[in-house]
Amino acid sequence: MKEAKFIVDAMLGSLARWLRILGVDTLYPRDYSDEELIMLARREKRVIITRDKKLAEIARRQGIEVFLLDTCNIKQALLRVCRRYEIPLSIEPNRTRCPLCNEKLVVVKKPEELLTTWAPPVQADEYWVCPRCRHVYWRGKHFRTMLKVLDELKRFSKA
Ligand SMILES: [Zn+2]
């Protein structure tokens, strides 16, 4: 099955960040009109994820695939999208994308190879660097919190 790519509407920023972390190509344009969003979806063959029924209807009429969400709860939303599009609920270092800009992250083992001039605030075994926005990530507290959320979702999806 070909992997789905997404456009997430401006209300669903945290869903976009989660999907990127799970390695899914996800755009999150914040100041697009409905028409611009639909045009981009068509051009790049992306599925639109939205809670906006009107946008969903207009897009579907034009042959665009839409995943309409009926929840404001981020965990539920993520679970539904992952179920529908068979996205594994796990963070794969070689797949994960920058939550800020959607670029694929690069794994770096030594802090001196980081593309930044500042020293990382913690010592870690490996870092993930965004080649586009230069953000550096590592397995810190925030990462562990995300793993907990994913474990919770996995339990949910089995139940
Ligand atoms: Zn980035």
Side-chain angles (χ1 to χ4, degrees):
M1 195 182 99
K2 204 184 162 301
E3 278 176 30
K5 299 186 291 181
F6 299 104
I7 296 181
V8 164
D9 86 24
M11 307 295 288
L12 296 167
S14 57
L15 179 65
R17 287 191 292 279
W18 266 108
L19 288 170
R20 289 168 175 174
I21 289 163
L22 296 180
V24 185
D25 183 346
T26 306
L27 298 185
Y28 169 50
R30 262 156 288 188
D31 39 17
Y32 272 39
S33 67
D34 287 0
E35 288 72 27
E36 288 171 319
L37 217 63
I38 290 168
M39 255 166 34
L40 183 59
R42 178 180 300 117
R43 196 165 63 230
E44 300 193 357
K45 297 187 171 50
R46 291 177 182 272
V47 177
I48 296 177
I49 303 177
T50 184
R51 287 205 312 260
D52 181 341
K53 283 183 185 158
K54 199 174 130 247
L55 168 63
E57 199 188 309
I58 298 169
R60 277 174 180 156
R61 243 188 270 140
Q62 299 184 41
I64 306 290
E65 183 173 345
V66 178
F67 191 75
L68 184 62
L69 285 170
D70 57 359
T71 176
C72 304
N73 179 306
I74 173 63
K75 290 181 189 172
Q76 277 180 15
L78 185 63
L79 194 57
R80 282 178 201 174
V81 174
C82 287
R83 261 186 190 158
R84 167 66 183 79
Y85 292 97
E86 297 174 26
I87 299 161
L89 291 164
S90 58
I91 302 174
E92 302 293 338
N94 296 322
R95 281 175 53 93
T96 194
R97 288 173 177 262
C98 178
L100 298 177
C101 76
N102 196 41
E103 189 73 19
K104 270 196 169 168
L105 296 179
V106 176
V107 179
V108 172
K109 298 280 184 192
K110 295 189 187 119
E112 54 269 30
E113 286 167 12
L114 293 175
L115 303 168
T116 56
T117 50
W118 52 271
V122 293
Q123 283 298 310
D125 291 341
E126 65 183 19
Y127 304 89
W128 300 334
V129 184
C130 175
R132 187 191 285 169
C133 75
R134 300 282 171 106
H135 242 83
V136 181
Y137 305 89
W138 58 89
R139 291 180 163 83
K141 188 163 174 258
H142 186 58
F143 183 85
R144 288 192 295 273
T145 308
M146 291 193 303
L147 290 184
K148 268 187 203 154
V149 172
L150 290 175
D151 278 344
E152 190 187 326
L153 293 181
K154 276 184 221 163
R155 283 199 300 275
F156 248 118
S157 68
K158 278 180 200 137

